[in-house]
């Protein structure tokens, strides 16, 4: 029984690290979201600090998962994914891969909303592939501003500042595949296409 309890506790740290990386957070960003110090988060993820309910509750809330998902061992012998939708800035994304995957895939939905929103481009390490399932997606990529229609796709290096949103006041669904490890899918847009970029930029 003691060995089983120890195994459950030992699994919490890697699970917390995977959830943080899925969110794209640094330890400092996670600390700001949860109110838990960077050193405590680091010790939790490495297994040095024993997790308590007082620590796990704000983490579960920040990562939008049930407390059981942090504590219980993952199911075995069942290959089916049980994705939990993630909502950020009005967009809902359903993970299609596990948090440990080299390539992360999502089915994303932008609900019907206003057009003409002022873009707020961001850049980070990695490569991104988008494929529109329905609707029209506005994509801002460096100095370029264009629209993807149903059945169209784009690939780009995410060090190029980018943003996407509704191209018309209707919902748009699209598939998104993101590589954060530097593994290329098939680049069609590269940072050297944009000489104004001085180099890689973080989130």
């Amino acid at each position: 029984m003691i060995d089983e309890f120890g195994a459950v506790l030992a699994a919490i740290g890697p699970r917390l690290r995977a959830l943080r990386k899925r969110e794209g957070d640094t330890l400092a960003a996670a600390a700001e979201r949860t109110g838990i110090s960077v050193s405590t988060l680091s010790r939790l993820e490495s297994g040095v600090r024993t997790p308590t309910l007082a620590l796990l509750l704000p983490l579960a809330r920040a990562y939008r998962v049930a407390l059981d998902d942090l504590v219980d061992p993952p199911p075995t012998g069942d290959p089916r994914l049980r994705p939990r939708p993630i909502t950020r800035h009005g967009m809902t994304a359903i993970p299609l891969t596990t948090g440990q995957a080299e390539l992360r895939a999502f089915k994303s939905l932008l609900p019907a909303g206003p057009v003409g929103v002022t873009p707020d481009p961001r850049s980070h390490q990695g490569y991104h592939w988008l494929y529109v399932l329905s609707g029209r997606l506005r994509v801002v990529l460096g100095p370029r501003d264009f629209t993807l229609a149903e059945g169209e796709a784009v690939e780009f290096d995410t060090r190029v500042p980018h943003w996407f949103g509704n191209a018309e006041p209707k919902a748009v669904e699209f598939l998104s595949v993101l590589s954060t490890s530097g593994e290329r899918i098939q680049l069609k847009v590269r940072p050297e296409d944009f000489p104004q970029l001085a180099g890689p930029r973080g989130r």
Side-chain angles (χ1 to χ4, degrees):
M1 183 68 179
I2 293 177
D3 289 344
E4 183 179 348
F5 181 65
V8 170
L9 290 179
I12 293 176
R15 201 168 295 137
L16 289 173
R17 183 180 294 109
L19 285 168
R20 176 173 61 80
K21 290 186 175 181
R22 183 195 73 182
E23 295 292 300
D25 280 351
T26 61
L27 282 170
E32 186 175 346
R33 291 174 62 182
T34 62
I36 301 171
S37 70
V38 170
S39 61
T40 297
L41 287 173
S42 178
R43 292 167 66 197
L44 280 172
E45 290 186 2
S46 63
V48 175
R49 175 71 180 266
T50 300
T52 63
L53 189 61
L55 293 172
L56 292 179
L57 281 175
L59 285 164
R61 189 178 305 116
Y63 297 142
R64 298 177 298 282
V65 298
L67 189 60
D68 286 349
D69 291 338
L70 297 181
V71 178
D72 288 345
T76 58
D78 187 348
R80 292 174 296 179
L81 295 175
R82 294 178 171 81
R84 295 176 179 272
I86 303 165
T87 300
R88 278 185 174 179
H89 309 297
M91 182 177 72
T92 299
I94 301 174
L96 303 178
T97 53
T98 64
Q100 292 79 23
E102 287 288 329
L103 295 176
R104 294 186 294 167
F106 301 87
K107 180 180 180 181
S108 301
L109 170 67
L110 278 167
V115 296
V117 176
T118 302
D120 182 21
R122 304 292 177 91
S123 61
H124 52 86
Q125 285 290 116
Y127 301 92
H128 210 155
W129 179 82
L130 301 174
Y131 176 83
V132 177
L133 296 169
S134 65
R136 293 167 60 83
L137 183 70
R138 180 187 176 193
V139 179
V140 173
L141 188 58
R144 304 175 184 175
D145 190 335
F146 55 93
T147 297
L148 293 179
E150 182 176 328
E152 293 186 326
V154 65
E155 297 174 274
F156 56 92
D157 187 315
T158 54
R159 290 175 295 174
V160 176
H162 57 280
W163 175 93
F164 37 89
N166 298 74
E168 58 187 7
K170 296 179 181 178
V172 56
E173 282 187 300
F174 57 96
L175 294 178
S176 175
V177 180
L178 176 66
S179 167
T180 57
S181 65
E183 182 174 333
R184 297 168 185 259
I185 301 173
Q186 184 183 18
L187 292 183
K188 294 180 181 174
V189 178
R190 305 172 187 273
E192 51 264 33
D193 295 333
F194 302 94
Q196 69 272 26
L197 294 179
R201 296 172 54 191
R203 267 186 203 277

